[in-house]
Amino acid sequence: MAAQMTFAALVVRLDAEGSAHASVQTRTLDDLPTHDTLIRVRYSSLNYKDALSASGHRGVTRHYPHTPGIDAAGEVVSTTSAELALGQPVIVSGYDLGMNTPGGWGMFVRVPAAWVMPLPSGLTLFESMALGTAGFTAALAVQQLQRHGVAPEAGEVLVTGASGGVGSIAVALLAQLGYRVVAATGKPSLGAWLQRLGAAEVLPREAVDDRSDRPLLKGRWAGVVDTVGGNILASAIRSTRRGGCVVACGLAQSPNLSLTVYPFILRGITLQGVDSAEAPMSLRCELWARLATEWKPHLLSEIVTAVATLEQLPAYVDAMLRGETHGRVVVQLP
Ligand SMILES: NC(=O)c1ccc[n+]([C@@H]2O[C@H](COP(=O)([O-])OP(=O)(O)OC[C@H]3O[C@@H](n4cnc5c(N)ncnc54)[C@H](OP(=O)(O)O)[C@@H]3O)[C@@H](O)[C@H]2O)c1
């Protein structure tokens, strides 16, 4: 394909004050890095990390101008890898995509073949991006709960930030697997939606954000999938039953964690992290194969709350950073 061929991408620039400005621009294949595999992107998605990258967060993206998009699904256009075929439908998510490597918010990405996963049968390209990094992260969290012995019979599982991408897929997935899911959300108006996805009970965010200085609270949760960090994560750990497991996924409230060691030494609680970006390919293939079959959310179409064009994305980024999006925003490339 001619290196001068042009394509559309959302490009984020920083001004002298460090403020981010995003606009759809024309790029050439020469603008992409010199990796071995070129992919025509059909769909991407909006994740919290993308919103940080698109707003100039240097912890995610060091160099601007930049095209975000940590998720991409499309077809292989050219590759030197014997493992991939031209035209093959594939997913790329995580690694450095969309961080300092131009990401899925452009019509083409060029990446190392080692980052490329064949699209599992059972998923369309659109569905793979409806799940995206959020779905894979929810699957990692559920797998960790299972590994730590949190079976449906063990008791209730709390999901925080439940209306978000990771949160809503975790609610749906856990409910589908037979867990009694308690969803905590800052958006009480979404209670009925969360119940339709499978939440047995919906709590307001404040109910799981304990501001007392008690090191231990009444033990309620057998397991927790936390997407927000901060005092909500600390409260969840202090409210987890003996032998329970809390999976820390995110930091939408805060990256800080203030705790005593009592939940660990008096209740034997496990605090387990998950890292989707650097997950090994074998684990990706295993969990994506499940997401394409028995772990595929029955109501995936209801979890997708918007399909955005590149032009529409900046408004969704701002809304996500204000905590006003819910479910998953799929990005449709031209
Ligand atoms: N570890 C990993 O590999 C990994 C992978 C993917 C994502 N993450 C992290 O997981 C988190 C969620 O990602 P996402 O893509 O699902 O984002 P998202 O769709 O924006 O969901 C975040 C949710 O957190 C809640 N929230 C937002 N601001 C909050 C605040 N100030 N205090 C308390 N709750 C707040 C909101 O849910 P409610 O209104 O329902 O409370 C919001 O919908 C992010 O921190 C992201 O960086 C980590």
Side-chain angles (χ1 to χ4, degrees), residues 46-49 133-134 137 140 161-167 184-187 205 227-228 232 248-253 274-277 320 323 325-328:
L46 171 61
N47 297 280
Y48 197 79
K49 206 189 230 179
T133 289
T137 303
L140 282 169
S163 78
V166 178
T185 181
K187 306 183 190 81
R205 187 184 289 166
T227 70
V228 302
I232 291 181
C249 302
L251 43 55
Q253 183 185 57
V274 294
D275 169 21
S276 60
M320 177 172 268
T325 51
H326 70 283
R328 292 279 295 152

Side-chain angles (χ1 to χ4, degrees), residues 140-141 144-145 147-148 224 245-249 270-274:
L140 282 169
Q144 287 301 342
L145 290 180
R147 281 201 176 146
H148 288 93
V224 177
C245 176
V246 177
V247 184
C249 302
T270 300
L271 175 58
Q272 174 69 51
V274 294

Side-chain angles (χ1 to χ4, degrees), residues 164-243:
V166 178
S168 59
I169 297 175
V171 167
L173 179 48
L174 287 162
Q176 216 162 291
L177 295 175
Y179 290 86
R180 183 181 154 83
V181 183
V182 178
T185 181
K187 306 183 190 81
S189 61
L190 292 177
W193 178 73
L194 286 165
Q195 281 172 329
R196 214 163 45 248
L197 295 185
E201 187 179 343
V202 178
L203 295 176
R205 187 184 289 166
E206 308 75 57
V208 294
D209 195 356
D210 183 272
R211 299 283 164 171
S212 76
D213 56 6
R214 285 186 293 156
L216 286 171
L217 303 168
K218 186 169 180 294
R220 177 168 180 188
W221 317 118
V224 177
V225 176
D226 175 70
T227 70
V228 302
N231 193 58
I232 291 181
L233 173 57
S235 304
I237 293 168
R238 291 150 66 216
S239 310
T240 295
R241 284 159 47 170
R242 183 172 311 283

